[in-house]
Amino acid sequence: MRIEDLTLDEKLTLLCGRDNWTTETCGGKVPEVRVSDGPHGLRCVVSVENGREITADATAMPSLSVVANGWNKRAAYEQGGTIADDCVDHNVDVLLAPGVNIKKTPLCGRNFEYFSEDPYLAGTLAGQYIEGVQSRGVGACLKHFCANNVESDRSWQSSEVDERTLNEIYLKPFEIALGAKPWTVMCAYNPINGVYASENKKLLTHVLRDKFGFDGLVMSDWWAVHNGYKAVRAGLNLRMPHDDENFAVLKEAYEKGYLTDEQINESVSRVLALAEKADRSEKSGKTSKEQRHLNAVKIAEEGIVLLKNEGGILPAAGKKIAVSGVFAGAPAIGGGGSSTVQTAYKIPHLADAISSITGEKVERSMGVCENVFVTAKLAYSQAYNADLCVVVVGDGTAKVSEGCDRDTLKLRPEQENFIIELSKYNKNIVVVIESGSAVDVSAFEPYAKAIIFAGFAGEGVNEALARIITGRVCPSGKLAETFPYALEDTYMGNYTGDGLTVDYGEGVFVGYRYYERYGIAVRYPFGFGLSYAKFEYSDLKIEKTGDTDFVVFYTVKNVSKVDGKEVSQVYVRDIIAMVARPVKELKGYSKDLIKAGEEKRVSVKLDFSSFAYYSVSLDKWLVENGDFEILVGSSSRDVKLSGKVRIELPDDEQPSQI
Ligand code: BGC
């Protein structure tokens, strides 16, 4: 379809969706594009009953926060590919995922849908996810562009963020993930520095198009458009979902001269290009339904994090196990909102999943649900008669959901108390936490011998947990977000905006960058996670391959008797700079399977972006000459090896120097 063959009215209708999930076809002239959520599995609406959307069954994959805790690029790719296979089955052209917004506060109700507090980790994993989705001929949608970091009053509160922070922290994951060429980008709800994301020309056109070179389609978040014609002028191509009034708004704006033919054509051509791409694309699924479930289990295994393991109580091989907690039977597989997936898979009770591996009977009790004791007495007696008791607690969708933020990092007092009570009957308590973001474990940590953070790990969670608890799988997840001791230790505290604005005064010091700068102790650092294996790092060598290019080599040896995967992390520190820079920043990582007693030579590449900061004075990324420290660690706070490199760019390209 050529743009010249469309009338003005047809063009304007193309700029609004036809309904909630499809684009306009102009009476069949233009191929329809069907879009569907979301990041953790397909949520394809098949009918609406009594105002409630009924969605097709699909594989409920782990949430993106769990994928991020996996630090495994291949797993992120498979997550995208597996969900896209469900899209192929339901003829969905564009999957509305992934989201790469930064976890600025652990309270954000949507953190489970996002990857990390670190832009590099978020951007690189999102890029893999996008490649996975698009490898099946289905388009991805990178969202929510940008600076949507709390859910409270998300359509109104302006994110007040300075230029350097915007570039280094909040735009960066988008910039990196755009390298994978997603078909579409979705704008956020919120204003940024006073202008709605949907009407923000600087972001939608100057940054996204001109600077980042994005050539796909920009759609709105659902109902995020406040003024239809201002959005088109700013560079928004498709308003979603259909809104009866939008056509008239656009037409009137055109007649009054507020919208030009050129502006309309620009957006129409993007819609046409997407429609043609979707139409031409050969969709091909690569996995069977069974394989999709197995992928859900595998990716959950990668991202489940062992936080505490006193006396090596886990793995629990050969021990008599009791399992308690309502979540053990009805796990929190995802959070609430648009990412909810309807799975037909009959998730086994954790007790059954364990027993199908060990062949031993595993007692079970409900014990506690979110906020009330149920069969606690039975739980105590089963715990008393077992060697070890696993108790599953966490947050359900009522507490963790799109559209609202949490008000505490703590679990419900009933859950905390239950763990403490249970420990009176059995000292070997293993706590499994299912939640969307960091949890303050202080109340029950002393009473737990082991703590496992499962996050919202999808329909495969219990198989994955059972394999980790019994030692079939060696845990290898590491936290993609810091767990502070308490909410008060975070920059934001209990603040999620004041109704007018959201403060970004911590600047680039978000997540571990914040705690490290101000010397704040944390419960579990960024990048932390235990293993049943033990790794040693040695032989750091850094090879210079260009002015700002290096390859970092080091050896990781598995000095235990257990095969395991280790996530090694490479951080860069600008030793002396003209501006305030974080103590260190993640610039590379590698997850490697290393067999017991074996070693692996790991290599990680660094380039200009590993050393640069965004100079507001020069309006560009800048690497300052001087020495940089290269830190290789098993977490952000456990640096194993360090070395230095010197960067000497031509003097006339450097601004003021020390
Ligand atoms: C969410 C988007 C989602 C859209 C469609 C919005 O509420 O913010 O992430 O894709 O709904 O369901």
Side-chain angles (χ1 to χ4, degrees):
M1 166 58 54
R2 296 179 329 152
I3 200 161
E4 304 81 60
D5 299 332
L6 293 168
T7 65
L8 174 68
D9 283 8
E10 285 174 330
K11 288 182 189 173
L12 297 182
T13 56
L14 275 181
L15 304 187
C16 332
R18 185 172 57 186
D19 52 30
N20 278 355
W21 307 109
T22 56
T23 56
E24 184 51 69
T25 63
C26 294
K29 279 192 188 171
V30 179
E32 167 192 282
V33 180
R34 173 170 296 274
V35 304
S36 270
D37 287 304
H40 320 135
L42 178 66
R43 189 176 74 94
C44 179
V45 177
V46 284
S47 63
V48 179
E49 284 170 21
N50 302 325
R52 217 181 113 237
E53 289 180 326
I54 309 296
T55 57
D57 289 338
T59 316
M61 302 296 287
S63 68
L64 289 191
S65 59
V66 174
V67 175
N69 287 347
W71 294 67
N72 184 325
K73 292 180 187 160
R74 184 68 209 173
Y77 179 96
E78 281 184 12
Q79 166 101 352
T82 308
I83 300 171
D85 286 347
D86 274 336
C87 292
V88 174
D89 287 355
H90 289 90
N91 220 9
V92 167
D93 302 295
V94 174
L95 177 74
L96 301 173
V100 282
N101 299 68
I102 289 292
K103 300 182 200 207
K104 171 173 157 63
T105 162
L107 291 182
C108 175
R110 251 184 140 170
N111 275 358
F112 70 99
E113 287 193 57
Y114 301 141
F115 291 93
S116 180
E117 65 189 27
D118 181 84
Y120 179 80
L121 184 60
T124 47
L125 291 174
Q128 292 294 316
Y129 179 105
I130 292 166
E131 283 185 19
V133 171
Q134 299 192 166
S135 69
R136 315 303 215 252
V138 172
C141 178
L142 185 61
K143 65 191 190 182
H144 308 88
F145 191 72
C146 71
N148 175 192
N149 308 97
V150 292
E151 287 295 288
S152 308
D153 225 359
R154 64 182 178 185
S155 298
W156 308 101
Q157 295 193 125
S158 174
S159 300
E160 303 281 288
V161 50
D162 72 80
E163 201 59 24
R164 178 173 164 210
T165 304
L166 193 59
N167 277 278
E168 286 187 29
I169 304 293
Y170 299 101
L171 287 171
K172 196 67 184 175
F174 288 94
E175 185 182 1
I176 297 173
L178 283 168
K181 294 201 160 298
W183 291 11
T184 67
V185 165
M186 184 190 289
C187 80
Y189 283 115
N190 50 292
I192 298 102
N193 297 321
V195 178
Y196 294 117
S198 57
E199 298 172 11
N200 201 309
K201 184 162 186 177
K202 173 173 171 174
L203 288 170
L204 297 185
T205 299
H206 301 322
V207 173
L208 188 59
R209 297 277 183 217
D210 304 344
K211 263 172 106 174
F212 294 169
F214 177 63
D215 63 0
L217 171 135
V218 184
M219 71 176 82
S220 72
D221 199 342
W222 269 229
W223 308 106
V225 172
H226 295 253
N227 179 304
Y229 79 82
K230 288 187 184 166
V232 176
R233 287 205 310 210
L236 186 99
N237 310 135
L238 175 66
R239 175 179 181 153
M240 288 301 287
H242 175 80
D243 170 357
D244 282 343
E245 282 163 25
N246 198 42
F247 176 83
V249 168
L250 297 180
K251 186 86 184 248
E252 189 187 336
Y254 178 77
E255 282 160 358
K256 287 187 171 159
Y258 298 164
L259 257 187
T260 63
D261 283 302
E262 201 188 352
Q263 286 161 340
I264 294 170
N265 286 346
E266 157 67 16
S267 274
V268 171
S269 64
R270 304 283 182 186
V271 177
L272 291 179
L274 177 69
E276 274 160 25
K277 196 171 196 164
D279 193 42
R280 273 199 321 266
S281 159
E282 280 190 21
K283 293 197 187 70
S284 60
K286 291 202 169 69
T287 52
S288 64
K289 290 239 159 32
E290 293 68 35
Q291 184 60 46
R292 286 173 216 174
H293 172 72
L294 294 178
N295 288 356
V297 177
K298 229 172 46 187
I299 297 168
E301 282 168 10
E302 293 284 334
I304 289 174
V305 189
L306 179 63
L307 295 176
K308 180 176 181 182
N309 194 18
E310 202 181 306
I313 187 178
L314 291 178
K319 291 182 187 142
K320 187 169 177 212
I321 301 173
V323 172
S324 191
V326 169
F327 281 108
I333 61 170
S338 60
S339 68
T340 310
V341 182
Q342 174 64 43
T343 173
Y345 184 71
K346 292 267 166 293
I347 301 172
H349 193 285
L350 180 59
D352 291 334
I354 294 175
S355 140
S356 72
I357 294 174
T358 60
E360 303 291 330
K361 183 166 167 48
V362 176
E363 299 284 6
R364 80 188 62 179
S365 60
M366 291 200 265
V368 69
C369 69
E370 258 188 88
N371 55 358
V372 64
F373 284 12
V374 209
T375 75
K377 231 179 238 172
L378 177 66
Y380 301 155
S381 102
Q382 289 178 351
Y384 181 73
N385 289 309
D387 298 328
L388 170 152
C389 183
V390 179
V391 51
V392 188
V393 290
D395 294 320
T397 51
K399 199 166 153 203
V400 179
S401 173
E402 172 180 351
C404 58
D405 295 311
R406 288 193 292 173
D407 56 8
T408 174
L409 299 188
K410 289 179 170 280
L411 298 176
R412 311 254 186 193
E414 291 79 4
Q415 295 187 335
E416 296 182 337
N417 291 340
F418 180 71
I419 297 166
I420 296 167
E421 287 305 315
L422 203 61
S423 74
K424 293 179 181 162
Y425 303 94
N426 190 324
K427 292 285 160 238
N428 296 329
I429 299 292
V430 175
V431 176
V432 174
I433 306 171
E434 298 181 351
S435 185
S437 197
V439 168
D440 172 354
V441 300
S442 353
F444 59 87
E445 193 271 348
Y447 303 90
K449 281 270 168 65
I451 302 178
I452 298 174
F453 186 73
F456 291 151
E459 66 181 42
V461 60
N462 280 353
E463 285 114 305
L465 279 171
R467 288 160 65 93
I468 286 173
I469 289 169
T470 57
R472 286 296 160 94
V473 163
C474 180
S476 64
K478 294 200 178 184
L479 295 176
E481 64 180 303
T482 308
F483 278 34
Y485 273 103
L487 183 58
E488 296 70 46
D489 293 340
T490 66
Y491 172 76
M492 304 257 293
N494 62 5
Y495 162 95
T496 51
D498 60 11
L500 279 177
T501 59
V502 184
D503 164 55
Y504 281 64
E506 75 277 52
V508 298
F509 303 101
V510 176
Y512 66 91
R513 291 165 168 80
Y514 173 73
Y515 304 110
E516 292 195 340
R517 177 172 170 84
Y518 298 104
I520 300 169
V522 299
R523 173 75 68 176
Y524 303 118
F526 174 80
F528 170 81
L530 299 172
S531 168
Y532 300 150
K534 194 166 177 288
F535 300 99
E536 275 177 9
Y537 290 59
S538 63
D539 299 322
L540 175 68
K541 199 178 132 230
I542 307 167
E543 212 175 271
K544 188 165 177 145
T545 51
D547 286 346
T548 53
D549 299 316
F550 299 85
V551 188
V552 181
F553 298 95
Y554 49 93
T555 300
V556 182
K557 181 166 187 187
N558 183 342
V559 292
S560 73
K561 295 197 163 62
V562 185
D563 297 350
K565 290 180 183 168
E566 171 69 342
V567 176
S568 51
Q569 302 152 40
V570 178
Y571 295 86
V572 174
R573 168 171 177 239
D574 192 347
I575 297 173
I576 301 175
M578 289 291 283
V579 295
R581 299 203 66 179
V583 173
K584 60 169 118 55
E585 299 185 272
L586 181 79
K587 296 298 174 184
Y589 57 95
S590 177
K591 186 168 195 174
D592 301 281
L593 170 65
I594 308 173
K595 294 229 158 92
E598 293 188 359
E599 61 181 36
K600 169 132 200 243
R601 191 81 180 140
V602 180
S603 66
V604 169
K605 286 189 178 147
L606 300 177
D607 60 19
F608 180 88
S609 66
S610 315
F611 303 95
Y613 69 88
Y614 191 81
S615 163
V616 177
S617 292
L618 302 175
D619 244 338
K620 65 169 194 179
W621 291 93
L622 175 72
V623 173
E624 277 180 15
N625 280 349
D627 285 355
F628 291 79
E629 215 171 352
I630 310 299
L631 308 158
V632 181
S634 71
S635 87
S636 60
R637 296 235 174 159
D638 188 5
V639 170
K640 306 282 193 189
L641 306 166
S642 68
K644 264 186 212 160
V645 298
R646 169 157 295 190
I647 292 189
E648 287 168 314
L649 293 166
D651 192 54
D652 62 339
E653 284 174 21
Q654 292 278 307
S656 311
Q657 284 187 61
I658 297 155

